[in-house]
Amino acid sequence: MKLKQLETLLGDLQQFTTPKVELEQYPTGPHIASRLLYTAENSFDDISNKVVADFGCGCGTLGVAAALLGAELVIGTDIDPQSLEIASMNAEDLELDIDFVQCDISNLGWRGQIVDTVVMNPPFGTRKKGIDMDFLFVALKVASQAVYSLHKTSTRDLRFDVPQLYKFHKKKEVDIAVDLWRFVPKRSQVKDN
């Protein structure tokens, strides 16, 4: 699939109607989502024919992109049931088979490296300090191949568009500088007997 086609499909997805500020819910825009997944697939072969988890999936944008790029299995996790409903509808609208799990990332309960790749746009930690690192810690435990994660920064050129969603937002839209990180987890050691 071409990058522009992927971005167009992601641009048609439903997004939050009533985002929850305490969960730092912001939609992952089609521009940044398409580039994240396109890079993961075309530069590193981390998506097609792989088991991909989308942590804090929200409306499912990253997971949908992974499925569109040929992931063998996509699992989206989120603490918010309303977000999972939207994500499920987005997958259904595109006739994609994505599994969704409602859970708090700190209580996920997965053991070992059971997915190949984790993609995520975790909360930046502006409401709950360190929550982004909690997501990253769990992702590195369960991914065998790679973890892709967006993190807030003030020194880079990659921009994340944040629309005016909450009453305390003064501007119609703001660009937040973010870094896209690719982490390669330490592989589990197998003992020879």
Side-chain angles (χ1 to χ4, degrees):
M1 176 177 291
K2 294 198 182 295
L3 177 61
K4 191 65 178 167
Q5 182 184 10
L6 180 61
E7 183 175 351
T8 299
L9 289 169
L10 298 180
D12 291 336
L13 298 179
Q14 295 179 51
Q15 297 299 332
F16 302 107
T17 53
T18 54
K20 296 173 177 70
V21 68
E22 68 275 10
L23 297 177
E24 295 186 50
Q25 291 180 331
Y26 296 96
T28 305
H31 180 80
I32 198 166
S34 60
R35 276 142 186 85
L36 187 159
L37 273 294
Y38 194 83
T39 298
E41 174 56 22
N42 291 289
S43 296
F44 300 100
D45 194 32
D46 285 336
I47 303 299
S48 66
N49 301 310
K50 304 292 189 295
V51 176
V52 178
D54 178 359
F55 281 2
C57 68
C59 300
T61 304
L62 298 177
V64 164
L68 288 169
L69 290 173
E72 177 183 323
L73 173 66
V74 178
I75 306 162
T77 71
D78 204 287
I79 195 170
D80 180 40
Q82 288 82 22
S83 294
L84 292 171
E85 285 179 32
I86 297 169
S88 181
M89 285 188 289
N90 283 330
E92 280 181 32
D93 288 348
L94 291 170
E95 299 180 0
L96 299 171
D97 187 20
I98 299 176
D99 293 333
F100 293 102
V101 178
Q102 182 184 354
C103 68
D104 181 325
I105 199 70
S106 62
N107 298 322
L108 185 59
W110 292 356
R111 300 287 180 251
Q113 295 176 319
I114 64 168
V115 300
D116 298 302
T117 304
V118 173
V119 294
M120 60 184 183
N121 177 18
F124 292 150
T126 57
R127 294 284 168 182
K128 183 179 176 189
K129 189 170 177 58
I131 189 74
D132 55 339
M133 293 296 107
D134 293 345
F135 272 75
L136 190 55
F137 181 74
V138 174
L140 288 168
K141 281 185 168 182
V142 302
S144 64
Q145 191 161 322
V147 174
Y148 292 85
S149 188
L150 293 167
H151 293 270
K152 187 176 177 182
T153 187
S154 58
T155 59
R156 305 290 189 266
D157 291 331
L158 189 59
R159 310 302 285 183
F160 186 91
D161 294 329
V162 176
Q164 185 180 28
L165 295 174
Y166 302 109
K167 290 180 182 178
F168 63 86
H169 285 170
K170 304 288 187 244
K171 297 179 181 175
K172 183 175 183 199
E173 184 174 275
V174 126
D175 283 343
I176 302 294
V178 295
D179 282 334
L180 168 60
W181 287 87
R182 179 181 188 262
F183 298 91
V184 177
K186 183 178 176 182
R187 302 223 185 254
S188 295
Q189 298 296 319
V190 178
K191 288 186 174 184
D192 292 331
N193 291 339

